[in-house]
Amino acid sequence: MGKKSLCLLISCALLSYFVYTPLPDNIEQPWKLMITWAVIRCGASLSGILEILGFPPYAVGYFFQVPPTSDANVTVTDTLFNKVPVRVFEPKQKSSTMRRAVFYIHGGGWTAGDARWITYDDLARQMVNKLDAVVISTNYRLSPQYHFPTQFEDVYDALRWFLRKKVLEEYGVDPARICVAGDSAGGNLAAGTTQKLLDDPEVKIKVKIQSLIYPALQTLDMDLPSYRENAYIPILLKYDMVLFWSLYFTSDKVLREAMLANQHTPVESNHLFKFVNWSTLLPERFQKGHLYTSPMHGPADLAKKFPGFLDVRASSLLADDSKLQGLPLTHILTCQYDVLRDDGLMYVSRLRAAGVQVVHEHVEDGFHGILSFSMSFKAGQRELNKYLKWLEENL
């Protein structure tokens, strides 16, 4: 064998080793997911190098941004809602009646993501075309430059601005047909802001639907069955989710290390665990093979230094039942192979117990981010079509 052939063989072997990731048997198009995951890891590594060179964190994300480009069916504009950048998508065709609206919040672990990313731009266009809706896709400041509650406050300020009668009239939106939606960290912000609206006497317009797509909803227990089962399943590893959570609150690594050990909640907050006790809140089939153990408590000074991780605005599952009772029709999408699966499942249980109407869609062969990659994966486009059909029928 010649040197060139040997080098090629070694290169192919190394590439295969880097790309290959063990996946569950029932995931559709596994090699496409492996390649996507490899590209994401390369992008994260490149972002780290660029950050060392003085670029902003996750600078690679700029390559995924697209300008506000209108087409034959959709008018796209970038503007500000109460100083918060948003991208507005409107149907070009005139309507004799008021339209429904979707206020959408992107994911990205509070550290990345952008309404201008091609994935979110495409999602919003599909919503406009399928629903004949006005779509507001909001941005918010990101960690680690900004920590909680900045992200929450940005989204809430933009949402409150949109829910004013004058603004809705400007965009031709029916105030009785508004949905607040988001995926992952965006689902977290959608859940938190929808709860906050219930306490805001200045907001007179009620949201009709909240739609939470594989949302992150609690910080107390990093050892749920879904975290155990899917710790190494892309697109979201357990370590990465804990990293995102900790960076949401602080750049201090102390909190991250405590969360990884699941020893971050002080004994004084022990009463909160009833809101996230998976042994009572998860359906039986998701508990099989797992034993619930009482939480290990962390030092009290962690909660004093970083109170955000115990704040209901960051962890919607910490709301008491009386708060949950006022929430609107709720759509929750969970994926089997996702560390955040059980957050969504527990919220389904708690909302139903509080008397809230809930529609739960569980994707048995789904992974975290499946809707964001709907352009690339058959399963993603299939689930997106089902999701848009449901919105069309209920919003």
Side-chain angles (χ1 to χ4, degrees):
M1 181 182 294
K3 289 184 178 180
K4 290 185 178 179
S5 298
L6 181 60
C7 288
L8 179 61
L9 181 63
I10 293 173
S11 299
C12 290
L14 290 174
L15 180 62
S16 298
Y17 178 79
F18 178 76
V19 170
Y20 179 75
T21 300
L23 295 173
D25 293 338
N26 64 330
I27 285 186
E28 195 173 358
Q29 298 176 292
W31 276 103
K32 184 173 282 191
L33 178 55
M34 291 180 201
I35 293 170
T36 301
W37 179 229
V39 170
I40 291 173
R41 281 156 40 220
C42 287
S45 299
L46 180 57
S47 289
I49 294 171
L50 291 175
E51 189 174 352
I52 292 172
L53 296 175
F55 288 86
Y58 299 97
V60 170
Y62 291 112
F63 295 109
F64 301 113
Q65 293 181 12
V66 293
T69 306
S70 301
D71 59 33
N73 301 315
V74 185
T75 299
V76 184
T77 54
D78 284 346
T79 187
L80 299 175
F81 278 11
N82 199 21
K83 301 181 181 180
V84 178
V86 299
R87 177 162 288 188
V88 181
F89 300 79
E90 301 173 81
K92 271 195 173 176
Q93 187 174 359
K94 298 296 182 182
S95 175
S96 59
T97 60
M98 304 288 275
R99 287 187 162 100
R100 62 191 123 198
V102 178
F103 185 92
Y104 196 87
I105 310 162
H106 70 77
W110 308 280
T111 65
D114 198 298
R116 297 168 293 181
W117 276 15
I118 189 170
T119 49
Y120 290 111
D121 187 272
D122 177 73
L123 174 61
R125 290 174 191 274
Q126 291 198 56
M127 285 182 171
V128 172
N129 289 326
K130 299 280 180 66
L131 306 177
D132 189 34
V134 175
V135 177
I136 310 298
S137 188
T138 188
N139 273 325
Y140 47 90
R141 285 171 288 179
L142 302 172
S143 61
Q145 297 101 318
Y146 301 94
H147 298 296
F148 175 84
T150 298
Q151 293 85 341
F152 179 91
E153 291 174 344
D154 282 355
V155 171
Y156 192 68
D157 287 346
L159 178 58
R160 286 180 85 247
W161 181 269
F162 178 60
L163 291 177
R164 297 188 307 161
K165 183 179 179 182
K166 179 182 178 181
V167 177
L168 296 180
E169 289 177 349
E170 177 185 345
Y171 288 105
V173 170
D174 184 343
R177 303 176 73 192
I178 298 172
C179 170
V180 176
D183 66 288
S184 194
N188 166 278
L189 293 165
T193 52
T194 303
Q195 286 187 6
K196 175 72 172 175
L197 286 173
L198 300 177
D199 298 326
D200 194 332
E202 296 183 9
V203 179
K204 307 300 182 183
I205 293 169
K206 303 295 184 182
V207 170
K208 183 177 183 180
I209 295 173
Q210 66 166 339
S211 177
L212 315 177
I213 302 168
Y214 28 82
L217 297 172
Q218 62 86 33
T219 57
L220 264 66
D221 193 348
M222 299 290 105
D223 193 38
L224 303 175
S226 58
Y227 273 93
R228 298 174 187 176
E229 295 171 8
N230 302 307
Y232 302 102
I233 301 292
I235 297 291
L236 184 62
L237 310 186
K238 174 180 178 177
Y239 176 85
D240 293 338
M241 189 61 233
V242 171
L243 173 63
F244 292 146
W245 268 126
S246 63
L247 284 175
Y248 189 25
F249 306 117
T250 177
S251 295
D252 192 328
K253 295 181 180 179
V254 171
L255 179 61
R256 183 195 318 170
E257 292 167 357
M259 293 180 78
L260 282 170
N262 209 32
Q263 298 179 12
H264 54 290
T265 305
V267 67
E268 293 82 1
S269 300
N270 192 58
H271 64 286
L272 296 175
F273 279 99
K274 66 183 178 183
F275 296 133
V276 296
N277 185 333
W278 61 261
S279 68
T280 60
L281 294 172
L282 286 184
E284 183 63 31
R285 77 181 184 96
F286 295 101
Q287 297 188 33
K288 288 183 178 178
H290 297 283
L291 179 66
Y292 183 80
T293 54
S294 298
M296 299 284 289
H297 297 292
D301 65 328
L302 271 182
K304 293 177 181 177
K305 289 176 66 177
F306 318 117
F309 76 87
L310 297 176
D311 194 310
V312 70
R313 292 174 297 171
S315 300
S316 294
L317 269 165
L318 299 187
D320 59 36
D321 291 343
S322 61
K323 169 63 72 66
L324 300 182
Q325 289 169 1
L327 290 172
L329 168 62
T330 300
H331 170 275
I332 297 179
L333 186 145
T334 56
C335 294
Q336 181 66 20
Y337 304 113
D338 181 6
V339 292
L340 295 179
R341 179 195 71 202
D342 294 349
D343 283 26
L345 291 174
M346 290 193 295
Y347 206 40
V348 169
S349 296
R350 291 206 54 214
L351 289 176
R352 285 177 173 164
V356 177
Q357 184 181 356
V358 181
V359 175
H360 177 217
E361 177 76 21
H362 185 67
V363 187
E364 290 291 349
D365 59 350
F367 54 88
H368 190 85
I370 192 170
L371 290 196
S372 299
F373 296 100
S374 61
M375 292 186 294
S376 302
F377 291 89
K378 295 176 183 177
Q381 190 60 58
R382 185 168 60 245
E383 292 303 323
L384 178 58
N385 289 338
K386 288 168 60 177
Y387 173 58
L388 294 179
K389 189 175 189 308
W390 183 86
L391 281 178
E392 185 179 20
E393 294 172 349
N394 291 277
L395 182 58

